[in-house]
Amino acid sequence: MERKIHENILDVRVEVHCGKIYFRRSEDHTVRIVAANMMDNNIRIHSHKNRLSVKCILQTPTEIQIYLPEVLNSIEVISDSVQLNFNDIELNYADITSGGDIIMKNIIINKGCNISAENSLLNIIGCNIRSMNAQLFNSNLEFKLTVLYGNNVVYIINGNVIGTLKGALIDYVISAGSGVDPGNVIVNDHFLLEFPERKNVQNCAWLLLAGYLNSTARIKIVKPKTSISGIY
């Protein structure tokens, strides 16, 4: 099954039970939905007033590829045991629920990001995200050279947080909230307890870790490498 949407789509809502979904940037600026080995009557696709709704009614695993414009207003995904893959798109808002792994690579989220995951790995690679609110249950979060902005909260139960954030140490305030011992969070090889209290934090990105970590959180904040020409 393949469907093209020629309408200017700004908001996307997707519902799938299980399988894999790939959100990718369209090369020709049209929205395209590809679901191999799926009959048309197993998927509901509706577009109206710049909004796209995709609902798969199959209870068996399926694979869907959704090609989107480079810039969107919002994406909402409601899924059960689905692996979600987001690549090379920019949007203002994201609202994601999944019981499978979530991989976000080269994504820009300008205004807000809500993520709820269970039994998952949330892998955020080379992204720029503002105001992330992640609720993770029996799940792990891994950053790879990602930039955070604004106020970000990770509430995690029976999981861990590791990885690298891009920038300088002065660009971030990382703190431990309810249920998380500051002695169980290491930033740039130092426990949170060892950092002096910051006075000027007006322009910093905040990251609050709360809940219950099953091992020590380890975060590194690293500056991007600069070549002689000044290009990263």
Side-chain angles (χ1 to χ4, degrees):
M1 190 285 301
E2 181 172 344
R3 189 82 57 85
K4 279 191 175 183
I5 309 293
H6 296 285
E7 184 180 348
N8 181 30
I9 296 299
L10 297 176
D11 300 286
V12 177
R13 188 176 193 270
V14 178
E15 295 182 61
V16 178
H17 292 288
C18 55
K20 296 180 179 179
I21 307 177
Y22 296 88
F23 296 90
R24 294 172 172 156
R25 185 169 63 187
S26 174
E27 295 181 356
D28 59 4
H29 306 292
T30 62
V31 173
R32 187 160 57 98
I33 302 160
V34 180
N37 303 318
M38 183 184 294
M39 304 296 293
D40 284 356
N41 60 356
N42 290 324
I43 189 167
R44 307 284 187 262
I45 300 172
H46 179 69
S47 61
H48 180 64
K49 292 185 177 180
N50 306 117
R51 298 179 63 88
L52 172 67
S53 173
V54 179
K55 183 175 182 179
C56 177
I57 62 174
L58 281 177
Q59 299 292 329
T60 54
T62 187
E63 182 173 308
I64 302 174
Q65 299 181 58
I66 302 178
Y67 295 86
L68 297 168
E70 184 177 357
V71 180
L72 292 169
N73 180 52
S74 69
I75 286 180
E76 180 184 5
V77 182
I78 302 172
S79 61
D80 296 326
S81 55
V82 175
Q83 177 180 310
L84 303 175
N85 298 267
F86 301 85
N87 291 277
D88 298 314
I89 53 178
E90 180 177 350
L91 60 156
N92 289 327
Y93 300 99
D95 194 339
I96 301 166
T97 300
S98 183
D101 292 348
I102 302 170
I103 302 169
M104 305 172 74
K105 186 174 182 181
N106 299 329
I107 300 299
I108 299 173
I109 300 178
N110 293 311
K111 295 184 178 181
C113 176
N114 294 318
I115 300 174
S116 178
E118 186 170 0
N119 301 317
S120 303
L121 169 64
L122 173 57
N123 200 348
I124 303 176
I125 307 165
C127 297
N128 290 262
I129 297 176
R130 179 177 295 277
S131 300
M132 179 178 69
N133 186 344
Q135 299 188 39
L136 309 177
F137 303 92
N138 299 315
S139 302
N140 295 315
L141 168 60
E142 184 172 353
F143 293 109
K144 293 180 181 177
L145 293 177
T146 284
V147 181
L148 296 179
Y149 302 93
N151 296 322
N152 303 272
V153 177
V154 175
Y155 180 79
I156 187 166
I157 298 293
N158 279 336
N160 198 19
V161 179
I162 62 171
T164 56
L165 295 173
K166 190 163 63 173
L169 190 60
I170 198 172
D171 296 329
Y172 291 92
V173 174
I174 299 177
S175 57
S178 176
V180 174
D181 185 347
N184 203 26
V185 179
I186 296 176
V187 178
N188 284 20
D189 300 322
H190 294 276
F191 291 103
L192 281 184
L193 292 169
E194 299 174 359
F195 286 95
E197 184 176 349
R198 298 270 295 275
K199 293 183 179 179
N200 184 11
V201 294
Q202 184 176 0
N203 297 318
C204 293
W206 292 73
L207 175 59
L208 172 66
L209 305 180
Y212 174 75
L213 298 173
N214 59 17
S215 57
T216 300
R218 297 178 181 272
I219 299 171
K220 280 190 174 292
I221 300 172
V222 297
K223 293 182 178 180
K225 295 180 179 179
T226 306
S227 69
I228 296 175
S229 63
I231 300 175
Y232 295 151

